[in-house]
């Protein structure tokens, strides 16, 4: 696996919808999905990250937002997900059958401003390290 299994815990699964032209996300671990200020990654069965992100609010809320953005784009509506990216999501799900979302909440670090959870720094480092296919920016 490309990401540390001791830190990143499975939280959700992404699959094709029944019509094979849309996607759906199912929460698999509610407790992990409640984490805030966390880093998440959508990975293949082989552990290859295809998208890495961070969330200040609950991880589950962020993970569950993916189908709406992607399906809207696949339907031809404009929005946050470009058409080319939505088609890549569809292609990955067709090829792999499922993607798994894994989540990690970094430990707080003591700084001059007090305790700070460095989740954005961890996200940035992982994006630079892995260069996932579906990250549009490589922060």
């Amino acid at each position: 696996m490309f990401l540390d299994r001791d830190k990143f815990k499975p939280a959700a699964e992404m699959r094709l919808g029944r019509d094979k032209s849309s996607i759906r996300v199912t929460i698999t671990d509610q407790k992990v999905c409640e984490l805030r200020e966390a880093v998440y990654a959508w990975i293949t069965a082989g552990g290859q990250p295809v998208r890495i992100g961070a969330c200040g609010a609950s991880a589950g809320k962020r993970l569950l937002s993916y189908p709406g953005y992607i399906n809207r784009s696949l339907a031809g509506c404009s929005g946050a997900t470009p058409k080319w990216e939505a088609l890549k999501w569809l292609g990955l799900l067709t090829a792999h059958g499922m993607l798994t979302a894994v989540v990690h909440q970094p430990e707080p670090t003591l700084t001059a401003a007090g305790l700070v959870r460095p989740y954005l720094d961890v996200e940035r480092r992982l994006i630079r390290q892995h260069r996932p296919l579906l990250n549009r920016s490589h922060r």
Side-chain angles (χ1 to χ4, degrees), residues 1-133:
M1 181 179 207
F2 293 87
L3 301 171
D4 188 343
R5 284 184 189 217
D6 292 333
K7 292 181 181 178
F8 282 85
K9 302 297 181 197
E13 295 175 346
M14 183 186 290
R15 297 178 189 270
L16 288 173
R18 287 197 174 106
D19 62 2
K20 304 292 185 207
S21 64
S22 65
I23 66 152
R24 61 187 171 86
V25 170
T26 305
I27 298 298
T28 57
D29 189 324
Q30 188 61 44
K31 189 170 178 89
V32 173
C33 284
E34 291 170 5
L35 295 175
R36 296 172 179 278
E37 296 184 339
V39 179
Y40 65 88
W42 286 102
I43 61 171
T44 64
Q48 174 73 39
V50 297
R51 175 71 168 248
I52 295 171
C55 51
S58 76
K61 184 175 180 177
R62 178 67 185 111
L63 299 174
L64 287 171
S65 72
Y66 273 82
Y69 294 126
I70 296 168
N71 290 335
R72 258 193 302 282
S73 181
L74 290 171
C77 301
S78 62
T81 301
K83 181 79 170 194
W84 66 264
E85 183 183 321
L87 291 171
K88 286 195 184 278
W89 281 106
L90 197 58
L92 282 166
L93 289 167
T94 299
H96 295 278
M98 178 184 77
L99 297 173
T100 301
V102 292
V103 176
H104 166 60
Q105 184 185 55
E107 291 298 319
T109 302
L110 185 59
T111 69
L115 283 176
V116 175
R117 199 173 299 277
Y119 68 105
L120 295 173
D121 294 334
V122 172
E123 175 203 25
R124 200 172 297 116
R125 181 180 53 81
L126 290 172
I127 290 172
R128 271 196 307 259
Q129 179 183 351
H130 295 289
R131 302 258 182 224
L133 175 67

